[in-house]
Each structure stands twice: as structure tokens, then as C-alpha cells.
Amino acid sequence: MKKVFIDGSAGTTGLRIYERIANRPDVELMLLPESERKDPMARKKALNACDIAFLCLPDAAAIEAVNMIENPDVVVIDASTAHRTDEGWCYGFPELSEKLAKALPTSKRIAVPGCHASGFIALVHPLIEAGILSADQLLTCHSVTGYSGGGKKMIAEYEEEPDFLLGAPRQYGLTQQHKHLKEMKKIAGLENAPVFCPIVSDFYSGMMVTVPLFAKDLKKGTVADIQSVYRNQYTGPIVFFAEAADENGFLSAHCLAGKDSMKLTVAGNEERILLIALYDNLGKGASGAAVECMNIVLGADPKTGLEL
């Protein structure tokens, strides 16, 4: 039985990880009393005594936690932004490539993908690898997320002022400096970061990421070729391709809320194409992805404990 410590277990991501692994017979959760949850010495002791450490912390605190670890056998699964593009860290999206799928089981440092970034990279990376899109392609990304993506502070804001905040979606990242852009550019294999339009909407969780394309901008291939790439790349059960995902011409960002899976689809026509990823910002966009990574490290079925 492996010992698991969640540093930041009181946060939204940490709580969802706890819910998924608390009753598993193959792991032993190490818990700190409330009085020691933010005690550096208590955290350091736990971080070095566990087999797997989940970091559900702000970036600075995640970096601090990694520096506390002296035990070379501890596997770190970091859900923060801090290490996603760092050398020596494995990007925790095994469905993205055979290279990542092979590296992840023996990695000691694993970076969980960002919520917005997960959908964008899942859509774009395979098309660059297949030569359908050029690495220098200028792209736009539109992403709608539930308000739980903002963590406990934003959740509290929405619950305290529902009449105002739940009245309409809100676009943010207006300066085009969103913290996921660096990850989106590097992991997707792009030379330029996309124009990124994230929108927090009036529902708790769920996500829809859309990348629009003109067919004339494709380096080669057609809509059918894009569909074929996704169909062959994403065979499930966690990430999968759907020929048609709409309901009477509508797509809801809430359709996979509460799930840890991701559905990719292609819409539009032969001239204007929409690449779309649907998932839960707290599922495959955060906690579900983290637990999947742990399962792979443990040699368990990747979907163990996940809601699919």
C-alpha cells in the first residue's frame, strides 16, 4: 500500500482528489490535523514520508514544497502552474503521445495540465504532429468554464453574490497574459501563443474549448483527415472522439460536469472548421487528471476511481 499526501487538501482540487482516493484499498492517505496544515515543518515531514505527493497549491507554495522534498523516492504530482513547462517534469497527459505514455509510469516529477490548456493542446498537438497544421500557425482559442475553475475564492464570490455574478458570463484574461498561454504554446508545439478568450460562466463546473480554423489555412488535409487523426489518437475510455456531440445543433459546456473524461469533436463545414473539446474543469481539467497520473504511476488501471 502506497502512502499519499495531499498538500493543499482543503482547496477545490485537493478536495476532489481526496474524494476519489479516500476509500481506495491500495493507498493510505496521510492527513495533517487542521492546526498543522500550514505548518512548514509538519508539511516537510509529510512530504518526505509519503510515496506520492499531490501539490494543490499556488505556484510559489508548490515550488517551496518541491524544495522541501529530500527523499528521492517521492513522486510529485503538481496541479499548479509552476512546473508545466520545466525540463525534468513529465506533462501529465498520457493520451497526448506515445512518448508521454511511456515516460509517465516512471516519472518522479509530474505536472498536471491546466484546465483551459488541456482542451487546446488535445485539439492542436495531434494536428501539428500529423502535418495538418503548421507550427507557425496563428490560432485563436475560445474557452468557457464553470466558476469553480477560479477556486475557493471565486466560488465564494458567486455564492455570496448570485444575483449579480450568475446573471451573465464574464470574459477575462483581457491583457492576453493568461498563465496557461506558455503551456499552450510549448506543449502544443506552436511557435506563437494563440489569441486566447477565456470566459467564466454562470454554472459550477464544466468546460468547452473551441479552436476555429479556416480550411484554407490547413497545411494539408480536410475535415475528414482531422476527424481521422482524433479518432485514431483518442480511443478512450478517458479521452475519446465523437463524430457528432451536439444536441439539436447546440453544445453545452456543462455536458460532462462531474466526469473525468474528455470528448473531442469537429463541427463546421468544409470552409470553416470548429475543433471542440468538452470536459469538466475539475475533472480531466484538474483533479481527475491528477488521479489518472497517480493510477499510472501505481501500475493500476488509469480509470480507477474516476467518474466516466
Side-chain angles (χ1 to χ4, degrees), residues 113-135:
C115 56
H116 295 288
S118 294
F120 177 80
I121 292 166
L123 292 167
V124 173
H125 179 269
L127 302 187
I128 292 177
E129 289 292 296
I132 292 175
L133 286 178
S134 300

Side-chain angles (χ1 to χ4, degrees), residues 47-74:
L47 285 165
N48 283 281
C50 67
D51 296 296
I52 298 174
F54 287 103
L55 305 184
C56 305
L57 304 162
D59 289 2
I63 292 169
E64 177 189 55
V66 172
N67 289 332
M68 288 180 178
I69 299 173
E70 299 167 348
N71 181 349
D73 295 324
V74 174

Side-chain angles (χ1 to χ4, degrees), residues 66-85:
V66 172
N67 289 332
M68 288 180 178
I69 299 173
E70 299 167 348
N71 181 349
D73 295 324
V74 174
V75 175
V76 178
I77 302 177
D78 183 12
S80 81
T81 311
H83 301 103
R84 291 174 185 158
T85 59

